[in-house]
Structure formats: structure tokens, C-alpha cells
Amino acid sequence: MNLTQKIIKAHLVSGEMIPGKEIAIKIDQTLTQDSTGTMAYLQFEALGTDKVKTYRSVAYIDHNTIQSGFENADDHAYIQSVALKHGIYVSKPGNGICHQVNLERFGVPGMTLIGSDSHTPTAGGIGMLAIGSGGLDVAVAMGGGALHLNMPKVVKVELVGALRPNVTAKDVILEVLRVLTVKGGVGKVIEYVGEGVKTLTVPERATITNMGAELGATTSIFPSDEQTLAFLKAQNREQDYTPLCADDDAQYDESITIDLSTLCPLAACPHSPDNIKKISELTDIKVDQVCIGSCTNSSYRDLMKVARILKGKTVNPNVSLTISPGSKQVFTMLARNGALADMIASGARVLECACGPCIGMGQSPKNNAVSVRTFNRNFYARSGTASASVYLVSPETAAYTALNGYFTDPSACEFYDVQMPESFEINDNLILKPEDFKDIEVTRGPNIKPFPLNTALPETVKGEVLLKAEDNITTDHIMPSNARLLPYRSNIPYLSDYCMNPVDPEFAKRAKEKKGGIIVAGSNYGQGSSREHAALVPLYLGIKAVIAKSFARIHRDNLINSGILPLVFENESDYDNIDMADVLAIENATEQINNEKIIVKNVTKNVEFTVVLSITERQRTFLKAGGVLNSLKSE
Ligand code: MIC
Ligand code: SF4
């Protein structure tokens, strides 16, 4: 067996391990963050579980940290109180980005983890089977329920050789994205093997598994080996170590080989993480902003290299450089060893250890800016400035670029060899343990509005086409998130006015006037974030179905959980025959939903076409009931 199959087998609750078939697995650990967490905990409360049933559940507060009104702070208070009341650890704001802190303090090789954040697979760097999902799946897992998913195919990525100086783990995952594209990982786990694996430290592995989310993959995973042991020892968690790897004769569904020694520094160009070019091809481009940080590249070693590059130099006069350390642990260590002083002295704007500019929480660049970031997503408008062009690069590329003001290939620059520390500074004083708190009252601010509930599937599903969208629509298109909107993550009615804003600013108004309808889209609809808001807001607007050429995994599950039909064109050419405002109807919907193929009538054009609903029996029950919560209620 490969490593993925071994961990699944050890956690299998039901189903057969045949790719594409539904399985259910036991979940050991869960994580939530604050921008998806309020919904997850409202749903958890609705399920009525007293105490979490997992080995470890942690609520992180790291996304909505700009407090320009009471909303975010109220949500933090709600999350802290509801978590402690139900046996969940709390990582307070200031402690760091969920995935970085999870790796440092909680990740255990061989365990399963689900998180209400699409970059949960970061923990694959420490050998966990870590999957991103909607908040409802996390709520169910916290209550002891299994996670249902389709048994993934497993792709072997064999790493051979070793990276050259100033070529990094970020360049490895950008290369994988170039080869596999943003749709290439759907329904698959990406498993890294080979001699090259041994040359990568746990945080480097975590950079690679983190951005595996951009492949659309279920997750990515590395073996647990000497590097894992060294990392856990340095975190004073040696007892959590178990060696794990694939059998020598393990079978894989697909495989690719990457020779690390042939890679060069790369960038993902606007507006997609798979639009890859060599840095050496971009050196004529003048840069306005550089942002270093995010759950992809903000580990101790990443930032130490940045500090060494910046030491004694000054950021280019035309560049604004920001640095956000990944965690309090990283931040404290940089402060103690003087690296922070070198960053500040160079002119870097040091931000708190949180998601920050990655989710548009401040630092939106100027109009038409070129912004170079060490993050994982460069989707259109995600930075908060729609006219900006965002490029994704390694910390080394970012630091040299910030000094020169133009894209700079770091492989032609000085190399600073920073080693992993033998011990990290351990201070968990911002992690609250539920056992230390008694008689907790849950605090609820006025911004927390009830989440919308669907109704049971009607006999006829009928509506106008309210939007005809292209390929690769992201959740940042469907429900944009920025410093202005993130405070309303617990207020679906407020958010609804901004639904699809970057695609069509009139969409929300139209949906409200028509009292709902249908969305038609191209392939990979809903890629990106795990935010349920990208399903709950359309539900609130009365969207009954999305008909697309294909869907991204987490978003498709979120639509089903909300009772919205995710239908796939049987013949992609039927997409071309549909126009905005056409009226589409599914007659005998309650009958048809039992079938794999469903007939849709284009009432306006008087033609019919077929769509495919390839889901499990369980999911059909959810759609009939109008979503998971209705289904559970009726049970
Ligand atoms: C993201 O990177 O897009 C986020 C913000 O972390 C999201 C979660 C969210 O929308 O709150 C994710 O990746 O799931
Ligand atoms: Fe936070 Fe960005 Fe990572 Fe999402 S991708 S968890 S917003 S740092």
C-alpha cells in the first residue's frame, strides 16, 4: 500500500477503498479558523453535542484580525467562548496562522485532520492525512461523526536530486502546478516519495502540501521520517513521532518525477496559481509591492533567509515591503536573535502574525500595481485591488525583488545557508485549554445572524439563468473576502449584496429581483477556499442549481450540504446553447434526482439537454431534504 491507503485503512469506518467509491473515515483532529469558524460553531451548536469527541480540536483566530468595528472582536469572543465550553482548544489572535501553529504544536504523523480551511493539507508535511472541508463537515467530525469522501486516486510524485542554492520548496510546488494545473488534483491525493524527499525539512514539505490545495487535490502527503523526528524533537514533541512511509512495492494511480536539481526560481503569474513562468523571464517587470508571509511561506527558516538577505540593505524606494511571521513562535525567535531588527532597519513594514494581506485584510496594493507575494493564491481581485497584478514566488525571490524594485532571480544572488534550529522556543501561553475554564457562557454579538436554511426539493426546479460564467470561477469571485466584507462572515444577509461582485456587480440585485434562479458555468467552478459562504449566500439569494462543466471538490460538497444542485453538463457543448435569462426547468425533480442523469428543459429555447448528478445515496438524501441540517432534523 501507499501511505495514503495505509492511513485511510487505519481510519476506515465504512466503504471500500476503490477510487471514486464513497468511504467514511474517523477523524482524530479538527481545526477551524475565525472567518469560517463562526458558521462552523453555529452548526455545531445546532447539532447539540455537549463535548467534542475528537482526540484534539482547535479553534484558531488568525484571519479577521483588523478590528475596525465591533464585528470581528465580537466573533472572536463568540468563538473563544463556544470552543472552551465544548472542550475545544483556542489559539488566540497573536498566536499565528492556523496551519503554521498546527504544524508546530499539534500535528501528529499518521493521524487524520479536517479543517474548515482549504489549506488544512499543510499538515501533510508532517505526515498527517489532512483535508479541507466546509464548516459543517468539521462540526459533524467534532461531534464524533465520520468524514464521508470519495476514495481518492493516489498520484506519486517522485522527487530525485536536491535543490540548488536559492531554489526552494515553493519552486517545487509551482512546478507541480505547472505540470498538473489547478484542476489536475481533483479527486486525488498527491503523495511525495523518493530520495529527494529526505533533503526537505518539515516546513519545506509543508510549503508543498499547503499549495497542493491549488491543484484542487483532496490532500498532499509526505512520509514521516528522520526529518519529521528532528522537527518534532525541536518542538519538544518527540513522543508524537511515528515513522511512516509507503511500502516498497506500493501501487499508485498516476506518477510523475521531478528532478529537484533541474528546477529554477518560478512565479505564478496573474491571475492563476498555475500560470507559471521562470523568474528569469520576468526581470524587466517593475514591482510596486512585496508581501512576505502567509501559511505557505512564513516559517522560521523562510523568514531567517529573508532577514539575512535584507540585512544592512534598504528596500527599493518604489517598493512597499510587508512581512507577516507565521506564528508567535517564529516572531519571538526572530525578535530574540536580532533578525527582526534587520528587517525593520531595511524598511520592511512588519505586520502581526496572521493571514493579513493574503486574505485582503489590509495592504491592498495601489491601482495597476505589480504585487509580488510569497502566498498561495493570486485570484483576480483577491488582494482587494482588482486592477493589481499579483505574482506568487519564494521568500528568496521576494526579498531580492524588494531590494531591487524589479523581479530578481535569486539563483544569481548570494545564498545564505540557514539551518533548522535544534530547538524552537516553546511558549503556549496563547493557547487556551478548555480544562482550565469552568462555567463558560457563550457570548453572541448582534452581528451574528442565523444561517439560511433551504426547503425540501420541489417537484419542479425552475428559474432564469442569472449568470453565465467562464471556467475557473473561484470562491473569491462567488463571495469576495476583504477587510470590508470579512467582518460580516456571520451575517449572510449583509454579504449577499456582494455575491459574484468581481464577475458581475449586478448579479446580486438581479437575483433578488427575480427571487432566485440558476447559475451556468464552465469548468472547475468554485475552486479555492472552503468558505461555505460561497454556497450559503447563493442559497440566501434563491439559487437552486449550478450547472457547470465541472466543480471543485470542497465547493461542490458545500453546495450539496446547502441543498443546491451541482449539475454537470453531459455534453460540454450544451453550455454554448444557453444564454443569460433563458428559463431552465427540471420537471419531476424528486423523481429525477434518484438518477445519475437528469433532463433539463430550456423552456425559452424549447430544447432539452442532459446533466449528470454523480453523487452518493447519502448526498441524494441531503438534496431531497434541502441540505444536511434539514436532513438531520427530519431524522
Ligand atoms: C483562503 O485562503 O481563501 C481562506 C480565507 O483561508 C479560506 C477560508 C475562508 O474563506 O475563510 C480557505 O482557504 O478555505
Ligand atoms: Fe490565511 Fe492566506 Fe493561508 Fe488562507 S491562504 S489560511 S488566508 S494565510
Side-chain angles (χ1 to χ4, degrees), residues 460-465 518 547 567 577-578 582-588 592 598-611:
T460 306
V461 174
K462 191 172 179 186
E464 250 184 49
V465 175
I518 291 172
I547 310 179
L567 305 169
N577 302 330
I578 301 177
D582 280 2
V583 174
L584 306 182
I586 300 170
E587 280 154 11
N588 303 322
Q592 286 214 65
I598 292 177
I599 307 293
V600 182
K601 192 166 182 183
N602 186 329
V603 181
T604 312
K605 298 212 163 70
N606 199 21
V607 287
E608 286 183 348
F609 61 96
T610 308
V611 291

Side-chain angles (χ1 to χ4, degrees), residues 133-161:
S133 70
L136 186 54
D137 287 333
V138 178
V140 169
M142 289 191 292
L147 174 73
H148 291 80
L149 74 162
N150 288 342
M151 178 67 197
K153 287 186 175 169
V154 186
V155 181
K156 166 163 103 173
V157 179
E158 175 144 18
L159 301 180
V160 298

Side-chain angles (χ1 to χ4, degrees), residues 519-590:
I519 292 173
V520 171
S523 61
N524 201 22
Y525 180 81
Q527 70 163 321
S529 159
S530 66
R531 65 189 72 138
E532 280 166 323
H533 305 76
L536 293 174
V537 169
L539 163 62
Y540 179 83
L541 290 172
I543 302 302
K544 299 176 176 71
V546 181
I547 310 179
K549 291 183 186 169
S550 66
F551 287 88
R553 175 186 63 89
I554 307 180
H555 184 60
R556 177 174 165 278
D557 288 352
N558 283 338
L559 288 174
I560 295 171
N561 288 351
S562 305
I564 299 177
L565 304 176
L567 305 169
V568 176
F569 286 105
E570 186 182 39
N571 296 314
E572 289 194 357
S573 58
D574 287 326
Y575 169 91
D576 302 324
N577 302 330
I578 301 177
D579 291 303
M580 283 275 287
D582 280 2
V583 174
L584 306 182
I586 300 170
E587 280 154 11
N588 303 322
T590 49

